[in-house]
Amino acid sequence: MLAVNYTNLRDNMKTYMDKVTDDYETMIVLRKNNKNVVMISEESYNNLMENIYVMGNKENYDWLMKGKAQLENGQYSVHELSEAEDNE
């Protein structure tokens, strides 16, 4: 996680924004009176929102955790995929 003051961010905006987007860095912009701001990429934000949505539903969360436990315990099978026909 990066931390940068507002003046430094303003003077080097492109560099910091590239770090956030290209390197998936989270950046804290330090401001007066502890009114800090966190900067993340749009991709990271969308991923975060999706995780909040998926994990926010208890039934869905339980189903995912059950599947995860099955995978970790070797309770899975491998299947060949078949291609769909053009009219499907």
Side-chain angles (χ1 to χ4, degrees), residues 26-39:
T26 300
M27 184 170 48
I28 298 174
V29 181
L30 305 170
R31 299 172 65 211
K32 291 180 182 177
N33 300 321
N34 208 27
K35 292 186 175 185
N36 301 336
V37 174
V38 175
M39 185 186 297

Side-chain angles (χ1 to χ4, degrees), residues 30-65:
L30 305 170
R31 299 172 65 211
K32 291 180 182 177
N33 300 321
N34 208 27
K35 292 186 175 185
N36 301 336
V37 174
V38 175
M39 185 186 297
I40 60 173
S41 69
E42 180 182 19
E43 183 179 356
S44 294
Y45 172 80
N46 288 338
N47 185 288
L48 179 63
M49 291 296 104
E50 181 179 3
N51 283 327
I52 289 170
Y53 175 79
V54 168
M55 298 306 214
N57 177 312
K58 174 128 174 61
E59 186 175 303
N60 192 43
Y61 176 82
D62 291 343
W63 179 77
L64 288 170
M65 291 303 103

Side-chain angles (χ1 to χ4, degrees), residues 3 6 10 15-17 21 29 39-41 50 55 80:
Y6 177 78
R10 186 184 60 227
T15 300
Y16 284 117
M17 291 174 88
T21 57
V29 181
M39 185 186 297
I40 60 173
S41 69
E50 181 179 3
M55 298 306 214
E80 291 292 323

Side-chain angles (χ1 to χ4, degrees), residues 9-23:
L9 172 65
R10 186 184 60 227
D11 294 344
N12 300 287
M13 184 71 78
K14 182 185 181 323
T15 300
Y16 284 117
M17 291 174 88
D18 287 345
K19 274 201 150 321
V20 167
T21 57
D22 298 343
D23 300 338

